[in-house]
Amino acid sequence: MEKKSPMDLGAVQDTIFFEHDVKADAVLVLDALIHFFGKKYVKAAITSNTEERLRFDWRLKDIPTVALNTTERELVEWRFKAFFIKKNNNLVVRSISAGETNVSRRGVCEKY
């Protein structure tokens, strides 16, 4: 998924790869952030799956950050929610992490 509309910067990456395994009812997610922290992929939890859309959520835990205006490091959790609209291959991804308020990006998915 490549973002098509530039919105606020945040944890949502420009390119996100995901695979919906219908038989296993699972979604695997990979982006630059996940790869940077040494993971091959993150397994997302499917929270709803209808004819119209697929919603899945994932988390990245223990992400090292530096608190604003200090040099103190802390580990935070970043949470992501994705809504895949099946009829037009649109994807909306929202992230909430330390110091952020619900950052959202939208794009059109391409099949590989």
Side-chain angles (χ1 to χ4, degrees):
M1 195 281 296
E2 293 184 24
K3 80 179 161 105
K4 299 296 183 187
S5 58
M7 295 185 169
D8 295 332
L9 296 176
V12 178
Q13 299 298 297
D14 292 345
T15 303
I16 301 171
F17 298 95
F18 72 95
E19 180 177 352
H20 179 205
D21 184 340
V22 177
K23 290 181 182 177
D25 199 28
V27 174
L28 304 179
V29 181
L30 178 64
D31 64 14
L33 190 63
I34 294 168
H35 180 72
F36 179 81
F37 287 106
K39 299 181 185 275
K40 293 182 179 180
Y41 61 85
V42 171
K43 189 171 182 179
I46 295 175
T47 55
S48 69
N49 187 5
T50 65
E51 287 186 26
E52 293 83 31
R53 72 169 138 178
L54 173 69
R55 178 180 167 197
F56 51 100
D57 303 350
W58 69 96
R59 296 171 183 232
L60 290 178
K61 296 181 180 182
D62 298 330
I63 305 300
T65 62
V66 176
L68 292 175
N69 302 322
T70 72
T71 57
E72 293 181 35
R73 291 188 175 266
E74 61 180 324
L75 298 177
V76 298
E77 177 181 87
W78 289 355
R79 298 181 308 256
F80 300 85
K81 297 179 184 297
F83 301 89
F84 175 64
I85 312 302
K86 295 177 182 179
K87 69 179 178 182
N88 57 12
N89 283 344
N90 283 338
L91 183 69
V92 176
V93 180
R94 295 188 176 124
S95 72
I96 300 175
S97 58
E100 281 189 4
T101 56
N102 203 2
V103 174
S104 178
R105 289 204 175 144
R106 301 171 186 269
V108 178
C109 296
E110 297 177 21
K111 291 188 177 185
Y112 290 95

